[in-house]
Amino acid sequence: MAIQGKYVRISLLLSLALISCVANGADHLAPRRLLTNLCTFDVTNHGVKAGAGNCKQNAVALTKVWVQACQSVAPAKVLIPPGTFEMSPVLLEGPCKNPIIFEIQEELSMDKAHVSGHPVNSIKFCKVTNTVLSGFTSLNPPAFHMHVVGSTNFTAHSLTITAPDDSPNTDGMHISTSCNVKVLNSKIGTGDDCVSVGQGNTDVTISGIQCGPGHGISVGSLGKYKDEKNVNKVLVTDCKFIGTDNGARIKTWLNSPNLKATGITFQNLVMDMVKNPIVINQEYGSKSPVPSNVLLSDIHFRNITGTSISDAAVSVVCSKKFPCCVDMANIDLVYKGTEKLDKKFECANAKLTFAGKQNPAPCPCRR
């Protein structure tokens, strides 16, 4: 993959491919302090070379530079200056003595990394605190563009994330077991979810995203593994979906462990020729006859407008064991498909409340 950006600031760590856990972070509310009295480590002064054929050498050199920066007695900057640098996967880990800025001024090209034949996440932020990622471009990775896991107070904004619409498992950003995560004002087009909110998260805000192509913005899938944790307070707001397979989606596995997902709101969304604009699917991922044990509650879809290219603009299929409670307000989705089909509102095992306009018109839920 290529990682580009005229100025990329990550208050903690940019780790490429196989990442462990990282340093104590800087307070993202105090960037001026970070930019003064910095000890700068220009990687080209420490053995990193531009051009082809230097992948392994550059990975070793960059790791050594990181160790020096990590042990710096003053806040540090690891600088990759203009040029194209090839790099094998590296592990950059903490804890570090002081905050670190990792700045890429042009392009860093990564070898595709695999574990047991499967591609790994291209960039993974693990157990980071008070992190800001901005002005970042990710192109054509082998798997997830980014994975945020076990982290607190993580903000990403002004991102450009791109992969072909037929590239599987290239989620723009996957978030799991994290608290207070914000993904803001970014353009994401992939072959999978633009943003996916997995298990164990609390207080996630996704706002100002242009999503497409891709599978939309999803909570889930939840309940595939037995040790998963609850999800609480997810807000998806002020986003636009262009030509995506799905728009606002929640998905949970059949025969799942007992979980709760509560306080999930999708609001102020625009759908532009989206196949399935609103989806709750609690029959995801297997053929098991055992219903999903994920309890969905306090779920809201509000102020969602635009166009759909399928007749099923709204599909709410909840668990037979735990019917979900869903509030729907001001939904106006116009069918623009090529076939002459009646618009459908699909509903099963749900307790729905309505306010304002409802297009397509609701129908009784089956059980």
Side-chain angles (χ1 to χ4, degrees), residues 104-349:
I104 304 171
Q105 293 187 336
E106 194 164 319
E107 182 170 322
L108 184 63
S109 179
M110 295 294 298
D111 278 352
K112 292 185 176 182
H114 292 73
V115 177
S116 299
H118 300 286
V120 301
N121 306 300
S122 296
I123 304 171
K124 188 172 183 180
F125 299 88
C126 177
K127 297 183 180 178
V128 300
T129 303
N130 298 332
T131 304
V132 178
L133 170 65
S134 67
F136 189 88
T137 296
S138 176
L139 301 173
N140 303 330
F144 290 176
H145 289 257
M146 300 180 193
H147 186 187
V148 179
V149 57
S151 298
T152 302
N153 299 335
F154 183 99
T155 297
H157 67 89
S158 307
L159 310 180
T160 301
I161 294 176
T162 304
D165 60 5
D166 60 351
S167 54
N169 300 318
T170 53
D171 294 46
M173 180 175 291
H174 182 68
I175 306 162
S176 60
T177 60
S178 295
C179 178
N180 192 21
V181 175
K182 295 179 174 64
V183 186
L184 311 173
N185 303 326
S186 298
K187 184 176 181 180
I188 304 175
T190 73
D192 213 295
D193 293 328
C194 292
V195 183
S196 54
V197 180
Q199 59 93 15
N201 289 300
T202 299
D203 196 7
V204 175
T205 299
I206 301 164
S207 177
I209 305 300
Q210 179 179 304
C211 173
H215 295 178
I217 297 176
S218 297
V219 176
S221 60
L222 303 177
K224 184 177 183 179
Y225 303 106
K226 63 180 182 181
D227 57 348
E228 293 188 21
K229 307 298 182 184
N230 295 335
V231 174
N232 182 43
K233 196 177 178 184
V234 177
L235 173 63
V236 180
T237 185
D238 300 294
C239 299
K240 184 174 183 179
F241 301 78
I242 303 174
T244 53
D245 285 354
N246 306 290
R249 179 166 63 156
I250 301 172
K251 48 184 177 177
T252 77
W253 282 70
L254 290 164
N255 195 22
S256 68
N258 290 320
L259 289 174
K260 295 180 180 180
T262 186
I264 300 170
T265 299
F266 294 90
Q267 68 179 24
N268 304 335
L269 308 180
V270 176
M271 306 289 171
D272 183 357
M273 303 300 281
V274 172
K275 187 175 181 181
N276 303 299
I278 296 175
V279 178
I280 295 179
N281 180 9
Q282 292 206 258
E283 298 178 351
Y284 182 80
S286 78
K287 303 293 185 181
S288 173
V290 180
S292 176
N293 291 306
V294 179
L295 172 62
L296 301 180
S297 63
D298 193 19
I299 310 297
H300 307 272
F301 296 91
R302 299 171 175 162
N303 305 323
I304 301 177
T305 62
T307 56
S308 168
I309 61 170
S310 80
D311 57 337
V314 178
S315 178
V316 178
V317 179
C318 297
S319 169
K320 293 179 180 179
K321 184 174 181 180
F322 294 114
C324 54
C325 299
V326 181
D327 159 52
M328 307 196 77
N330 301 318
I331 309 298
D332 188 9
L333 297 166
V334 178
Y335 174 64
K336 291 290 187 179
T338 57
E339 300 180 29
K340 293 182 178 181
L341 300 172
D342 293 330
K343 292 181 294 185
K344 291 191 298 186
F345 185 113
E346 184 178 10
C347 180
N349 311 310

Side-chain angles (χ1 to χ4, degrees), residues 7-27:
Y7 190 82
V8 179
R9 177 182 298 163
I10 303 173
S11 299
L12 287 178
L13 169 67
L14 172 61
S15 178
L16 309 171
L18 301 175
I19 178 176
S20 180
C21 300
V22 298
N24 293 322
D27 187 345

